[in-house]
Amino acid sequence: MTDTPPADTTVLLVDDREENLFALSAILEPAGYKLLLARSGEEALKQLLANDVSVILLDVRMPGMDGYETARHVKQRERTSDIPIVFLTAESAEADGVLQAFSAGAVDFVTKPFEPWSLRAKVQVFADLAHKTRLLREQSELLRHQLDIQYAAETRHLRKLADAAVAINSTLSLDEMLRQLTESAREVIDTHEAETIITVEADVGLEARSRSTSAKYDAWAASEHDDSLDAMYASVIERRVPVRMANKDIAETLGARGVHGVASNHPLLQGWLAVPLIGRTGNALGLIQVADKVDGDFTDQDELVLVQLAQLAAVAIENARRYHQEHAVAHTLQRSMLPDTLPVVDGVDLAARYRAGSAGTEVGGDWYDAIELDDGRLMLVVGDVVGRGASAAAVMGQLRTGLRAYALQHFPITVLMRSLDRLLQELGKGMLATAICVVVGPSRRHLEVISAGHPPPLVLAADGTASYVACDAHTPLGILEAPVYAATTLTLAEGATLALYTDGLVEGRHRSLSEGMQKLALSASRHPAADVESLADAVLEEVVGAETGDDVALLVARLR
């Protein structure tokens, strides 16, 4: 208990008699309390609406609303329910009266006359209690507010981490993943600069570094700077532990690590946090570092969040590395099953392109071939085994080998296609394939064409007119038990160009086959004078762009 009341101590005196209010004021004023006077229960409740009160001295017997009813109203209000109420009465403290007082919410019951010192002591005890209760409530509110701020920050961090995980895993392109990771690190930690450094990707051609800066460092990022922080980075990567430094500690740390000559406008000098990228087996993949936090120094929470981001990123990077390597192996295997070179044929210029699809790492079933026969004819073939993986690749290889054998035996084109169909059915039940076969006669103008469920060849005239060969419709290979094929014959003008292709060139997830064929014809018509190599490159670039979800095989022949 204190000798002087706290500055915020207010006592409400409630009595219907002026002399009693005067007497109570005379006792309590010297103690330094702020006093409020009320001459009825109704007036007391109005005072409580406008003032913060520490203690209430309440007369029991008042006309109208008595003390018991007034106390019950006080206790029913949330704002005033904790205020201590001391009942004052001129009657003797009988058991029923005391019980009724405490039932109404009183903390003490004082009978008149009372000793001034005793009343002051009671008021001081309850005033101190009210003051401490108020302080505890304020501290609780402050703590709750701080916890709310902390929980909100943690929620924002978790949301940003979730968004970063989606962004990082939205691509299997390693350089794009690196860019997304760096942008996410700067945004999640809220810094002016971030950088991701990968140290193990030389074998797959990944960019070693990716940097992201705010407008504050745009000029710095665009300038030539030779700052070598390899020693700083090495300490993080080799020790596999995070490093966090405030700006006041950095200059001394740089010197201790033998790093000198760092530009005065380098973001690292404003505070630095770096965490290693650790693979599943504990191998170091590199690091993520952020510098110059927007608000204050880096905290334990920042370090924890960046470590979590690095863990997400390490898994994604390893998955992307594995995908990249498997895709490269699949592409190499696919290329090994295609012709190493095209034959040099009198009167025909040949070019071929194969592009592996980006949708997966398995080998596809697309293939092409050009076979020069000893009677002066030239056979051009493009095929597509339905499906992906080792089984599709194996079937593709056997079909190509079988077709070459049939061609060298001078099978007529109709017999050749029927034999190819029989071979496919013997290779495996349920296997399907499409194929287009074109035999170019010795004159280089007369053609025989058979399509087994395959898109028709494109003919590009010397004047740029592009059209498709109207082939007889036949089912894909592997469907009918004994299919019969009829050849379509046609004669082309001198200098015409023929393009055979698989459906990956003209059909896609967001484009129908007819739309793709229109786009192919338009593209070819733009380059009638281009050599076949340039024409093949232009068509690939304009029709499918940089990436395609499916494999693409393209065979171009210009008949001279």
Side-chain angles (χ1 to χ4, degrees), residues 195-218:
E195 187 177 20
T196 302
I197 300 172
I198 303 298
T199 59
V200 294
E201 297 302 327
D203 56 330
V204 293
L206 175 65
E207 293 181 23
R209 296 171 184 248
S210 174
R211 172 175 283 137
S212 172
T213 60
S214 69
K216 179 179 179 180
Y217 289 104
D218 283 349

Side-chain angles (χ1 to χ4, degrees), residues 110-436:
V110 178
T111 59
K112 305 172 185 178
F114 41 76
E115 293 291 338
W117 65 265
S118 175
L119 183 62
R120 279 196 295 267
K122 289 178 182 292
V123 170
Q124 186 169 355
V125 168
F126 292 123
D128 286 343
L129 177 61
H131 178 69
K132 291 182 171 61
T133 300
R134 187 179 297 113
L135 289 178
L136 180 61
R137 185 182 297 114
E138 291 173 353
Q139 292 170 353
S140 298
E141 287 296 327
L142 179 61
L143 178 60
R144 185 180 300 109
H145 179 64
Q146 291 173 338
L147 288 174
D148 288 343
I149 294 175
Q150 180 180 345
Y151 293 152
E154 291 176 355
T155 300
R156 287 194 302 272
H157 280 137
L158 289 173
R159 186 182 300 113
K160 288 180 178 180
L161 276 175
D163 293 341
V166 172
I168 293 168
N169 289 283
S170 64
T171 177
L172 285 172
S173 168
L174 289 169
D175 53 349
E176 174 62 16
M177 181 180 296
L178 198 61
R179 187 191 68 79
Q180 291 278 10
L181 172 58
T182 308
E183 292 283 352
S184 297
R186 188 169 72 82
E187 181 180 351
V188 169
I189 308 300
D190 196 18
T191 66
H192 287 291
E193 189 262 353
E195 187 177 20
T196 302
I197 300 172
I198 303 298
T199 59
V200 294
E201 297 302 327
D203 56 330
V204 293
L206 175 65
E207 293 181 23
R209 296 171 184 248
S210 174
R211 172 175 283 137
S212 172
T213 60
S214 69
K216 179 179 179 180
Y217 289 104
D218 283 349
W220 170 83
S223 65
E224 294 289 336
H225 41 78
D226 298 323
D227 303 324
S228 178
L229 299 173
D230 292 345
M232 298 288 290
Y233 298 155
S235 66
V236 179
I237 296 172
E238 293 172 1
R239 293 169 56 206
R240 292 172 170 76
V241 294
V243 173
R244 172 162 45 108
M245 291 184 292
N247 56 357
K248 61 185 178 61
D249 304 322
I250 290 177
E252 181 179 344
T253 304
L254 291 175
R257 296 185 183 279
V259 178
H260 304 285
V262 176
S264 60
N265 63 341
H266 199 294
L268 175 140
L269 299 177
Q270 303 304 316
W272 189 60
L273 171 63
V275 300
L277 292 165
I278 306 298
R280 293 182 180 89
T281 59
N283 57 311
L285 305 176
L287 64 83
I288 308 173
Q289 65 92 9
V290 290
D292 193 2
K293 188 178 178 182
V294 172
D295 184 18
D297 292 329
F298 292 108
T299 64
D300 292 339
Q301 180 71 14
D302 294 327
E303 182 176 318
L304 176 62
V305 170
L306 196 59
V307 166
Q308 292 173 324
L309 179 60
Q311 292 170 344
L312 292 171
V315 173
I317 288 171
E318 288 195 324
N319 290 341
R321 288 176 64 206
R322 185 176 297 110
Y323 173 87
H324 193 288
Q325 291 163 347
E326 292 175 355
H327 191 71
V329 170
H331 181 66
T332 300
L333 177 60
Q334 179 87 37
R335 293 294 306 179
S336 70
M337 294 184 176
L338 298 174
D340 292 331
T341 60
L342 294 173
V344 178
V345 182
D346 289 339
V348 182
D349 296 330
L350 294 173
R353 296 291 184 271
Y354 172 79
R355 181 180 291 177
S358 59
T361 61
E362 293 183 306
V363 186
D366 292 25
W367 55 285
Y368 64 85
D369 208 347
I371 307 166
E372 185 179 16
L373 304 177
D374 55 15
D375 59 2
R377 293 181 303 154
L378 173 67
M379 181 173 290
L380 305 175
V381 187
V382 169
D384 184 1
V385 176
V386 176
R388 299 187 67 83
S391 59
V395 170
M396 178 266 285
Q398 293 177 19
L399 287 180
R400 176 173 170 256
T401 301
L403 181 136
R404 180 170 281 269
Y406 302 147
L408 293 177
Q409 294 180 50
H410 295 278
F411 280 13
I413 187 173
T414 54
V415 176
L416 182 147
M417 289 296 284
R418 194 160 55 245
S419 301
L420 199 64
D421 180 272
R422 187 180 302 113
L423 173 61
L424 177 62
Q425 296 195 42
E426 291 176 355
L427 290 174
K429 294 293 184 181
M431 295 298 295
L432 300 177
T434 66
I436 185 81

Side-chain angles (χ1 to χ4, degrees), residues 80-95:
T80 60
S81 60
D82 293 332
I83 300 176
I85 299 175
V86 178
F87 272 116
L88 304 176
T89 181
E91 301 175 355
S92 61
E94 296 180 356

Side-chain angles (χ1 to χ4, degrees), residues 373 375 377-381 410-415 417 436-442 445-451 457 469 471 485-492 498 500 559:
L373 304 177
D375 59 2
R377 293 181 303 154
L378 173 67
M379 181 173 290
L380 305 175
V381 187
H410 295 278
F411 280 13
I413 187 173
T414 54
V415 176
M417 289 296 284
I436 185 81
C437 183
V438 177
V439 176
V440 182
R445 295 184 62 189
H446 300 290
L447 278 64
E448 290 182 283
V449 181
I450 291 182
S451 170
V469 177
C471 304
Y485 295 97
T488 299
T489 61
L490 66 154
T491 301
L492 299 182
L498 197 65
L500 282 64
L559 309 179

